[in-house]
Amino acid sequence: MTLRRIVSFNTLFGGRDEDGLGSDARWQAAARFLRSLDGDLYALQECNFWDLLGQRRLHQAREQLGMSAAYLAEANTTTAGHRFHTALLATPQWGITGQGAERNKYHHVLGWANARVDRSDAVWSIRHVHLAPFSPSHRAAEVEPLQTLAAPGRLSLVLGDANMLGIRHPEPDWSPLPRHLHHTQLVSDEHDVLRADRTAATMLEDAGFIDAAHQLGDDRPTGGFGKTDVERRQDLFLLSPALASAIVAYDVHNAPIEQGFSDHCAVSLTLDCDRLPAGPE
């Protein structure tokens, strides 16, 4: 087997207190933990201030995680002044053939990369998301261009903090969610009962994307661990059918919550590249 392990993790303000300006103790704990997962591709969200001084924090993280390449997708400024950049960090097994970022359509940013894995001729399309936190309609608009990536034979991976339920994730108990946040996640059904707005997830499912956690029957929550939040699976691995044929394992790692260095779990996905069909150029 030729196994590749991918890890997605929301760092919570880049692993630093005071919205990314304070102590880096949380990041140091996160870096040790992430290194222990032995990933060869890391997708990190909320990388605040990692753009400063020639992306110094990005490259410090690259060295700490033992990666050979790193790319920072620089995000828009939010109404609170944050810039939640995302980062992809990879080993030499990931031969990047192109990479970039798209901000115009996105609340934060879409980071993207195309890669040949283990020198295969097949090109993977990787889309790293941190979707809009406050608007189901905005999330739907953000995922709209991703539908074509589920085309037959295409090797596509959409991953990151989707700020929405995963495909077929059971309806959680939304009662702890404060009223002022209802419309960030919910919609009234025909009986005026508030339920998750699944427009964006349904769009991707209808296009053909497969949720790795759902395929393996794992409904463990990955986020929503605040006192007035709702625990749910929102850190996602969504794969095109051709790529989904390579799924070997999926796991949710609770250490960030248990040890207090993030408000998200980390999630990992293991793929066996020997199972893959040849992808189109």
Side-chain angles (χ1 to χ4, degrees):
M1 292 191 295
T2 304
L3 300 181
R4 289 287 150 257
R5 195 173 204 207
I6 305 163
V7 176
S8 178
F9 178 59
N10 186 313
T11 65
L12 184 58
F13 294 105
R16 290 178 179 251
D17 296 337
E18 298 180 38
D19 294 351
L21 293 168
S23 167
D24 72 343
R26 286 194 298 103
W27 168 252
Q28 296 305 326
R32 290 190 294 272
F33 160 73
L34 291 170
R35 180 80 182 247
S36 75
L37 296 182
D38 198 26
D40 46 59
L41 179 68
Y42 290 90
L44 307 179
Q45 302 94 46
E46 288 200 20
C47 300
N48 292 40
F49 299 109
W50 285 28
D51 57 314
L52 301 182
L53 297 175
Q55 303 183 349
R56 179 181 294 179
R57 291 184 186 176
L58 172 71
H59 292 289
Q60 289 174 336
R62 174 182 55 75
E63 291 182 340
Q64 288 173 295
L65 299 183
M67 300 291 103
S68 61
Y71 175 71
L72 192 72
E74 297 190 12
N76 294 312
T77 303
T78 71
T79 54
H82 303 300
R83 295 185 69 199
F84 288 144
H85 310 308
T86 64
L88 286 172
L89 302 92
T91 62
Q93 284 79 11
W94 296 81
I96 304 298
T97 64
Q99 61 188 16
E102 169 59 38
R103 285 182 290 274
N104 291 336
K105 195 178 182 70
Y106 294 87
H107 178 89
H108 294 304
V109 65
L110 173 80
W112 65 268
N114 297 330
R116 289 190 172 93
V117 183
D118 297 305
R119 299 183 180 180
S120 167
D121 289 337
V123 176
W124 295 32
S125 299
I126 302 165
R127 301 297 182 264
H128 186 190
V129 300
H130 187 188
L131 299 183
F134 305 125
S135 170
S137 61
H138 195 168
R139 287 193 291 273
E142 288 178 319
V143 305
E144 200 171 30
L146 305 181
Q147 298 175 87
T148 60
L149 298 175
R154 191 155 186 179
L155 303 178
S156 302
L157 173 64
V158 176
L159 78 166
D161 181 357
N163 274 313
M164 65 180 183
L165 293 186
I167 291 173
R168 304 290 183 94
H169 186 72
E171 194 75 27
D173 174 12
W174 291 104
S175 59
L177 193 70
R179 183 173 180 175
H180 68 276
L181 295 178
H182 280 184
H183 289 293
T184 68
Q185 291 290 333
L186 307 178
V187 65
S188 296
D189 66 13
E190 64 273 18
H191 305 293
D192 291 327
V193 176
L194 289 173
R195 298 189 180 279
D197 188 310
R198 298 177 184 261
T199 305
T202 299
M203 188 183 302
L204 293 175
E205 182 180 21
D206 288 348
F209 275 100
I210 293 167
D211 187 317
H214 175 66
Q215 176 157 306
L216 296 181
D218 192 331
D219 286 325
R220 284 178 291 174
T222 65
F225 295 102
K227 291 182 180 179
T228 59
D229 209 341
V230 174
E231 295 181 10
R232 55 195 185 271
R233 192 177 81 238
Q234 67 181 59
D235 302 87
L236 308 181
F237 288 112
L238 306 178
L239 297 87
S240 62
L243 190 59
S245 66
I247 294 174
V248 172
Y250 163 89
D251 205 358
V252 176
H253 306 274
N254 295 322
I257 304 300
E258 295 169 350
Q259 298 177 28
F261 56 81
S262 181
D263 57 351
H264 286 248
C265 297
V267 289
S268 63
L269 178 70
T270 304
L271 301 174
D272 180 2
C273 296
D274 292 340
R275 297 183 182 181
L276 293 173
E281 290 293 326

